[in-house]
Amino acid sequence: MTDLRRHVRPRTVLFVLCALWVLYAVRQLDSGDQQNHALENFDKGFGTPAKSVSRPQEKMRYKELVVASLSSDATSWLAEYLPDWKANVYVVDDPNASLTVPKNKGRESMVYLSYILDNYDDLPDYMVFMHSLRYQWHNDDPIYDGLPVLQNLQLPHVRAEGYANLRCAWVLGCPEEIKPVKSGEKKREGDSRVQTENEYEKAFLELFPNATVPDVIGVSCCAQFAVTREKIRERPQADYERYRQWILDTTLSDAISGRILEYGWHSMSITCSPSRS
């Protein structure tokens, strides 16, 4: 028995070692497969640039820029610095442009109204109506740069208010910009501001036939603002059709018709808040 155990014991140990080695090898192969699979997933996901994913149309139209431009304007800065906004660049002096207007008249108001009418039933959550150039004195910025104005725009505030002028400075427009000359009063002579006051009452009654002509209009200038879909739809589409038709039909110059609409986008109900230093 002693001799038999001496021969069996080494063979048993050898068998167990072989079994352990086979088990270890199998586990290593399985682990390798898992690692390769993990690496493949890494390459597909984080290791390589993410592939664009198609989003529902309503998500793509979350926020949009509505831009009034001329064919000579440089607008590439919009896509370069604001890629998360869809830019609708209307070219008013190019009838063959992908986005254009029925007639180059009324300055930016023709673009704004055309966009609203083109999209009334499918408006995004937020819209910014603006001019095309990045640097222009209309922008409320120390160096007249429009980029920080847009980057600092607070959408929760726009949501709460419905409408927000992109210009916070009082100059120009507040606290009083236009004092309409009423019927029977003698029209005054002067610059475009005075001419606007002479024509304002008649134009206002044509644009807003059921409203009372205000004694004074005060709002920050320049017709650049953010607005929600719900605020635009507070008025029926027919109202915007009437506004655009008024521009098409008026004999007033672009400077005057555009100025009248410039001081009407706030719906004639938002007054200037107290100035802050």
Side-chain angles (χ1 to χ4, degrees):
M1 287 293 294
T2 301
D3 293 339
L4 180 62
R5 282 198 298 270
R6 287 177 180 174
H7 290 290
V8 171
R9 202 171 280 170
R11 286 186 299 211
T12 302
V13 172
L14 181 62
F15 175 79
V16 172
L17 289 175
C18 290
L20 290 173
W21 184 86
V22 171
L23 180 61
Y24 173 79
V26 170
R27 289 175 63 87
Q28 285 296 102
L29 289 173
D30 183 62
S31 176
D33 289 341
Q34 291 179 1
Q35 290 178 0
N36 290 336
H37 183 65
L39 288 172
E40 290 174 1
N41 287 340
F42 180 84
D43 289 339
K44 292 177 181 178
F46 301 101
T48 57
K51 296 181 180 179
S52 59
V53 179
S54 298
R55 293 183 295 169
Q57 181 67 15
E58 63 270 20
K59 295 296 183 183
M60 294 294 288
R61 305 211 65 192
Y62 169 59
K63 56 184 184 178
E64 298 189 5
L65 304 173
V66 182
V67 185
S69 77
L70 296 169
S71 56
S72 58
D73 291 346
T75 59
S76 60
W77 67 278
L78 298 168
E80 181 177 358
Y81 295 105
L82 300 165
D84 54 330
W85 287 81
K86 177 184 176 183
N88 301 277
V89 182
Y90 282 73
V91 185
V92 298
D93 58 346
D94 182 2
N96 297 316
S98 58
L99 291 174
T100 189
V101 292
K103 190 173 184 179
N104 183 10
K105 192 177 181 186
R107 297 189 170 175
E108 72 278 323
S109 60
M110 181 62 76
V111 168
Y112 296 178
L113 291 168
S114 294
Y115 171 86
I116 292 172
L117 291 173
D118 291 345
N119 299 276
Y120 188 85
D121 294 325
D122 188 29
L123 293 168
D125 295 338
Y126 302 96
M127 290 147 281
V128 170
F129 293 81
M130 57 179 287
H131 305 153
S132 61
L133 299 180
R134 177 176 173 179
Y135 295 96
Q136 53 181 328
W137 73 265
H138 295 164
N139 295 327
D140 194 357
D141 179 78
I143 60 172
Y144 305 138
D145 187 353
L147 181 59
V149 174
L150 295 171
Q151 291 175 328
N152 294 327
L153 179 64
Q154 301 298 307
L155 294 182
H157 174 74
V158 179
R159 168 58 58 190
E161 298 295 328
Y163 166 96
N165 199 313
L166 294 188
R167 189 174 177 86
C168 297
W170 268 30
V171 181
L172 300 164
C174 285
E176 299 178 354
E177 178 64 18
I178 298 175
K179 296 180 178 179
V181 174
K182 301 300 180 68
S183 298
E185 295 180 8
K186 183 179 180 180
K187 293 187 176 182
R188 301 185 291 271
E189 297 295 329
D191 57 15
S192 61
R193 174 178 175 176
V194 174
Q195 295 176 46
T196 302
E197 292 178 336
N198 288 335
E199 303 295 341
Y200 195 89
E201 182 187 53
K202 180 175 182 290
F204 184 91
L205 292 174
E206 292 174 351
L207 291 166
F208 310 101
N210 297 319
T212 301
V213 180
D215 294 327
V216 175
I217 296 91
V219 64
S220 294
C221 78
C222 307
Q224 296 192 111
F225 55 90
V227 68
T228 63
R229 173 179 57 238
E230 291 75 17
K231 176 58 68 175
I232 287 180
R233 288 183 178 167
E234 285 181 2
R235 292 187 177 275
Q237 187 172 356
D239 281 4
Y240 300 105
E241 291 173 347
R242 183 174 68 254
Y243 304 154
R244 188 169 72 172
Q245 194 59 48
W246 178 83
I247 297 173
L248 291 169
D249 294 341
T250 186
T251 58
L252 298 175
S253 67
D254 283 1
I256 305 305
S257 63
R259 188 177 178 84
I260 288 172
L261 266 296
E262 176 183 352
Y263 290 96
W265 291 112
H266 62 303
S267 302
M268 306 298 174
S269 62
I270 299 176
T271 57
C272 294
S273 58
S275 177
R276 295 183 299 174
S277 59

